[in-house]
Every structure is written in structure tokens, then in C-alpha cells.
Amino acid sequence: MMLKAEKKPIHVRSIVISIVTLSLFLLLTGYCLHKPLPDGFTVTQWDRTVMHVVEPALRVAYYYPSRMFSKASNMVYWTRGALNILSKTLGLLVDTQGQIDIEWQNWNGTPVKIYRPINNQTSTDGAVIFIHGGGFALGNVEMYDSLVERMAFEMKTLFISIEYRLSPETVFPGGILDCEAAIDHFYQFGEIQFGVNTSKVVIMGDSAGGNLATVVAQRRVARKALPALAGQVLIYPLLQMADMQTVSYRYFHTRLNGYALVDPESVAYYYMFYAGIDMDEKAYLIPSVVSNGHVAKHLHKEVEEMMSYRTVIETTRNYNNHSISERWQIEKNYEAQDLMKPFLTNPDFSPLMRKDLSNLPPTMVITCEFDVLRDEGLIYAKRLEASGVPTTSIHYENGFHAMLNFHSELHEASKSVEDIEQWTLNIINNA
Ligand SMILES: *[C@@H]1O[C@H](CO)[C@@H](O)[C@H](O)[C@H]1NC(C)=O
Ligand SMILES: *[C@@H]1O[C@H](CO)[C@@H](O)[C@H](O)[C@H]1NC(C)=O
Ligand SMILES: *[C@@H]1O[C@H](CO)[C@@H](O)[C@H](O)[C@H]1NC(C)=O
């Protein structure tokens, strides 16, 4: 009895101590992890609150761990796995009321997921081909399920989402060829299989998917493929890596460093993996690449020409007068220059470098203020416009890269989905 009476308080005390320690630890971690979001990063109080939870969670789940790997490929695989798991918590509130039939098919060797309004109750006889983002290396069709299903439901339109192969396992131009194989099949059988009028097909993609979407569109124009695409929707697309010191890149260095947002180093890693470069061996090239040391001298003139609207962007979009750091001192690296020479001005890799943009279909370009890729999207929109392509450029002052993945959690992201749906339906109906 005595023994028990003596033991019990000790036991309780140790539990209390554990709880207090754990709480202190969590509070301290929470305190250390909390970073105030920059002014204007998402607009409503709700959106900011959500992002104050989501952003540190992403930092803990993949940003910090992914920086601990000595091999870059392991960083990619970790991030891929972490995002695949985390994304399952998103879009749970999307309710398409059983109105969308979903089915996998294999088209010319490429798996595609088909989202079809049930009983063929479509509002149009057009269709949308969706190519997901993720730096050519992350993400999959499933991760974009809620977004694509929502659009199919709200637009009452057939959506096709393409499961192209990812790098580093499959490198450039594998992803492009996968998309083209599936799209060729769709053009061949879309009318018989789905009753689609193939002159009313819009291609859509975000981030690296925006790169693939516009590369497919450009290549169709170049080889005069018919029927022409009716439109392209490019959502914060990744379009080039010959200038990693645009204002939007430099803004990241000054104000967004350390947040779990797309960062310059990651763009370099992922783009170079896509180019087929073994970044496990070549990680030491990254600092010179982010300073533009990978751009060979003989390419400068061509790059400057393709990016000639940069000055307009730099002088008109100045981040509410925040001062932006100067361009970094270029850390020239001849090895990086040799490795990247075949890619930097190759339009299939860097579609912003395509000289002739005329005859591209009507285009919607979505850009976000908090995105290193902001400027290349804005420049592409300007160049398309100057080439006579009907272009709608919508810039979200409070938006950030990848915000559409939070379309059911954030008001601003949801609003941008509505803008995209409206534009796309209008294009399909007037094709
Ligand atoms: C929908 O349309 C396709 C193509 O016309 C047809 O094969 C399919 O049977 C239709 N499905 C329904 C449920 O009506
Ligand atoms: C930025 O600076 C210009 C010129 O000094 C000024 O007219 C403008 O109001 C400023 N904008 C903001 C958002 O502070
Ligand atoms: C398909 O759409 C085009 C463009 O609106 C139209 O000219 C054509 O007649 C349509 N074809 C069919 C079979 O409805």
C-alpha cells in the first residue's frame, strides 16, 4: 500500500512534466516556425489564416527535409512523396454531386483520366486537355483531381488529364511526347468516342504543365497540325531559364527567401533534371546557374531579344515600391554553359524563346505577384499580343505560385478558377 501511494504521485508528476515539456516544445517550435507572411500575400483574413498554417506545414513536410539530402534525386523523390500525401488533405470540400463520370484510359501508351459529365449532359461539344504542374518531376493526375473535377462540373465540359512521365526518370522531351501521343489519339477518336467537336479543344496547364501545354501548342502550329487548338490557358507557366535574375526572381531573394514557395534554386534543379543532367553529380553548378553564369556569351543577343519586354515589366511592376536587390554578380561557369547550350534557346524546352508566336491560338496567361515566374509569364503575354494572338493576361496581385492547388481552401484561388472557367467556356463557345 505504502509503496503504491508513493509511486502514484511520481507517475502522475512525470506525465504532467511530459505534457508540459511537450507543450512548451510545440509552442516553441510553432513560435520559431511562424513567419509573418509578406504584405499582400493573399488578401482576405481567411486566406491569410489558412496560409499561416499551410506554409509552415509545407516547410516542415518537405522544404526543410528536402534540403538535408546529399543527393538531389533523393530530394526530388522525398518531395514527390511528401506532396502526394499532403495533397490528399486538399480539395475535400469539392462536391460534384456525382455528376462527373471518371475513367482511366490508355491513349497511345499514355494514361489519361477522363472527366465526363454524366449522361453526356455537357454544356458544350468542346473539351479541355489538362497538363498538371510540378517542375516536370512532381505531382500527378490524382493530385489535381479536385481541381479538374470541379472545372468539369462547373463548366459541364469534358476534361482529359494527362499522366505524362516525370523526370529525372524520363527526361526532355519525354513528357512532351507523352502529351502529344495522348492528344493525337484524342484528335483521332474524340468525336466518335465522346461526340466532341475537335475544333473546340482548349489546352491548359499550370507551372511546368503550362510549359508543356504551350510547347504542344507551338509545335502543332509549327507542323501545321489540324484542327488547330481553340485556345491555351497558361497558369503561372515556367517558360525559360536563361534569365534567373528577373525582377520577380530578385524579389524572392529579398523578401521570400526561406518560405515554402517555389524558389530559384529549386527551379534550377528541376529544370536541369528535366534537361537530363545528373544533378546528383552536378549540384555544384547551382550557384552559378541562379546568377546566370550558365548562359554562354553567344546566346546573350537572342535571349535579350526574346525577353525584350522585360524592361516594360521591370518599370511598371515594382512590388509597391519595395526596393529590389541588384542583379547578382554573374558567376560564369563554362561547364554549365556547355551543358545548357542545347536547351536555353530551344523553344521545345524554353517556349519563351520561340521566335515566331503568330498563329498560336487565343491565350489566357495567369500570373501571380508572389512567384519567381511572374515576369516570364507577363513577358510571354506581351509577346503573344505583339504577334497578333488574342491574349488575356490576368495578374493576381495577392496570388502566389501553385495557389490553384488550394482552390477549395482559398478565396482568391477559387476566384481565379472561376475566371479561367469563364474565359475557357467563352473560347469554346466562340470557336
Ligand atoms: C455518351 O456519348 C458517347 C459518345 O457519343 C456514347 O458512346 C455514350 O454511350 C454516351 N453515354 C451516355 C450515358 O449516354
Ligand atoms: C510608389 O512610388 C511612386 C513614386 O514615388 C508613387 O507615386 C506611388 O504612389 C508609390 N506607390 C506605392 C504603392 O507606394
Ligand atoms: C465544329 O465547330 C466548328 C467551329 O465552331 C464548326 O464550324 C463546325 O461546323 C463544327 N462541326 C460540327 C460537326 O458540328
Side-chain angles (χ1 to χ4, degrees), residues 356-378:
D356 182 7
L357 299 179
S358 57
N359 299 318
L360 276 163
T363 304
M364 175 183 227
V365 181
I366 300 286
T367 48
C368 290
E369 190 74 347
F370 299 94
D371 181 5
V372 294
L373 308 182
R374 182 196 75 166
D375 292 5
E376 56 203 71
L378 291 171

Side-chain angles (χ1 to χ4, degrees), residues 127-131 162 179-180 182-184 186-187 196-205 210-234 359-363 389-390 423 427-428 430-431:
V128 178
I129 292 165
F130 185 85
I131 307 178
I162 302 181
C179 292
E180 285 181 342
I183 292 166
D184 284 348
F186 185 57
Y187 273 116
V196 162
N197 180 334
T198 47
S199 4
K200 299 183 181 179
V201 177
V202 170
I203 197 163
M204 181 186 290
N211 173 300
L212 293 169
T214 201
V215 165
V216 167
Q218 290 183 356
R219 282 159 61 97
R220 283 187 75 79
V221 170
R223 67 168 200 269
K224 300 192 166 60
L226 289 174
L229 282 161
Q232 53 173 351
V233 180
L234 311 176
N359 299 318
L360 276 163
T363 304
V389 175
W423 185 89
I427 286 293
I428 288 175
N430 292 302

Side-chain angles (χ1 to χ4, degrees), residues 119-139:
N119 304 322
N120 293 330
Q121 283 172 351
T122 51
S123 72
T124 78
D125 54 353
V128 178
I129 292 165
F130 185 85
I131 307 178
H132 75 79
F136 307 104
L138 314 170

